[in-house]
C-alpha cells in the first residue's frame, strides 16, 4: 500500500467520527421552517392587532355619534350634516396607517323605536363613509325592511332603542392589507359592529328625519 493511499484511508476514517459540522447542517435544514413559522406568526399578530383596532374604531364612532349635537339642557339637541362629516373624518384620522377612508366602509344607522309599538324599531336615517362601496351591509341586510324591526345587529346581540330616544349602530368593513402574504392570515375582509345609546334628548324629526342640512355639504347617504 502506498503512502498516499494509506494517508487517504486514515483521513476518511477520521471523518467518519467527526461531528463538528452536524449542528450547522441541522440548522441549514431547520432554517426554512423557522423562517416560515416566524413569517406566519408576524402575519397573524398583525392581523389580530388590525382587527382589534377596527373594532375599537367602530366603538369610538358609535360613542361619538351618540354624543354629537348642539343645544342646551332645555331643548333637544340637533345634529346636522357637518357633524357627521366631522365624525367620519375623525374616525379616518384615528385609523392612521390603516387608511379607513380608502380601505374601509363605515355605515352609521340611527335606530329609533316605532311610534306604534314599544318592541319594534326602525332606521331613522343612515350615512356611509369610505371607498369600499362594493361592500354590502349586513345589518339590516339587502332587501331587509328598515321598519318594524326586532333590533339591528347580529342575532343575540341586536341593538334596540329606548322609548323616545335613539341608538347609534355602526357597521365597519375593512379590507386587510397583509404584511407578507394573504394566505398566511385569515380572511382579509373584516366586519365589526358597535352600538351606543344617545345620551341626551335629540331632535329626531327635524331636518331630514333628524339630520339638518348644511349649505354646500352633500349628505353622505348610502
Amino acid at each position: 500500500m502506498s503512502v498516499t493511499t494509506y494517508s487517504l484511508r486514515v483521513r476518511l476514517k477520521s471523518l467518519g467520527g467527526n461531528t463538528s459540522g452536524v449542528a450547522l447542517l441541522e440548522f441549514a435544514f431547520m432554517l426554512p421552517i423557522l423562517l416560515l413559522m416566524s413569517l406566519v406568526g408576524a402575519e397573524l399578530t398583525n392581523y389580530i392587532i388590525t382587527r382589534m383596532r377596527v373594532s375599537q374604531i367602530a366603538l369610538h364612532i358609535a360613542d361619538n355619534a351618540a354624543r354629537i349635537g348642539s343645544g342646551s339642557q332645555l331643548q333637544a339637541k340637533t345634529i346636522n350634516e357637518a357633524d357627521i362629516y366631522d365624525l367620519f373624518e375623525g374616525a379616518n384620522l384615528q385609523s392612521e396607517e390603516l387608511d379607513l377612508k380608502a380601505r374601509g366602509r363605515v355605515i352609521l344607522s340611527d335606530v329609533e323605536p316605532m311610534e306604534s309599538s314599544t318592541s319594534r324599531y326602525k332606521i331613522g336615517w343612515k350615512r356611509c363613509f369610505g371607498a369600499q362601496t362594493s361592500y354590502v351591509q349586513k345589518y339590516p341586510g339587502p332587501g331587509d325592511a328598515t321598519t318594524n324591526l326586532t333590533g339591528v345587529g347580529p342575532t343575540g346581540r341586536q341593538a334596540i332603542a329606548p322609548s323616545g330616544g335613539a341608538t347609534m349602530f355602526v357597521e365597519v368593513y375593512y379590507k386587510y392589507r397583509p404584511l407578507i402574504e394573504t394566505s398566511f392570515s385569515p380572511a382579509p375582509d373584516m366586519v365589526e359592529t358597535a352600538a351606543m345609546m344617545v345620551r341626551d334628548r335629540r331632535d329626531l324629526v327635524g331636518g331630514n328625519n333628524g339630520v339638518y342640512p348644511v349649505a354646500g355639504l352633500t349628505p353622505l347617504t348610502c
Side-chain angles (χ1 to χ4, degrees):
M1 181 185 297
S2 66
V3 176
T4 303
T5 304
Y6 177 77
S7 176
L8 181 60
R9 290 182 64 183
V10 171
R11 286 177 178 274
L12 290 174
K13 188 175 181 179
S14 66
L15 283 175
N18 191 333
T19 60
S20 61
V22 172
L24 182 61
L25 187 61
E26 289 176 345
F27 178 74
F29 280 120
M30 288 296 295
L31 182 59
I33 299 174
L34 291 173
L35 182 59
L36 179 62
M37 290 175 64
S38 299
L39 293 177
V40 171
E43 191 64 74
L44 287 176
T45 300
N46 185 65
Y47 180 88
I48 292 169
I49 291 174
T50 300
R51 183 131 207 170
M52 255 174 50
R53 291 187 61 188
V54 173
S55 178
Q56 289 173 345
I57 287 170
L59 184 60
H60 287 163
I61 293 174
D63 187 35
N64 291 334
R67 296 173 183 269
I68 60 175
S70 58
S72 68
Q73 296 293 328
L74 301 178
Q75 65 185 66
K77 282 189 174 181
T78 62
I79 63 172
N80 57 44
E81 300 295 349
D83 294 326
I84 296 174
Y85 267 80
D86 291 343
L87 174 71
F88 286 149
E89 188 56 38
N92 186 53
L93 292 174
Q94 181 189 1
S95 71
E96 297 178 339
E97 73 277 1
L98 293 184
D99 195 3
L100 183 64
K101 184 175 183 179
R103 303 190 64 82
R105 185 69 170 169
V106 180
I107 303 166
L108 173 63
S109 301
D110 167 72
V111 183
E112 301 174 12
M114 295 280 293
E115 292 83 355
S116 58
S117 174
T118 57
S119 60
R120 296 287 171 168
Y121 307 90
K122 66 179 182 179
I123 304 296
W125 52 264
K126 187 187 300 182
R127 295 293 184 272
C128 291
F129 172 81
Q132 299 297 318
T133 55
S134 60
Y135 172 70
V136 179
Q137 182 184 7
K138 289 185 176 182
Y139 311 109
D144 290 347
T146 55
T147 59
N148 203 35
L149 303 168
T150 57
V152 180
T155 303
R157 296 189 293 117
Q158 289 188 317
I160 60 175
S163 177
T167 293
M168 297 290 101
F169 180 83
V170 179
E171 185 175 335
V172 177
Y173 165 80
Y174 183 76
K175 192 171 185 63
Y176 175 67
R177 179 192 290 120
L179 279 176
I180 305 154
E181 176 59 47
T182 307
S183 59
F184 289 167
S185 60
D189 297 329
M190 300 179 177
V191 179
E192 295 291 338
T193 61
M196 197 69 67
M197 187 176 68
V198 175
R199 273 74 157 175
D200 304 305
R201 288 191 307 122
R202 179 177 286 182
D203 180 354
L204 303 177
V205 295
N208 298 319
N209 295 323
V211 183
Y212 285 81
V214 174
L217 289 183
T218 303
L220 298 172
T221 53
C222 306

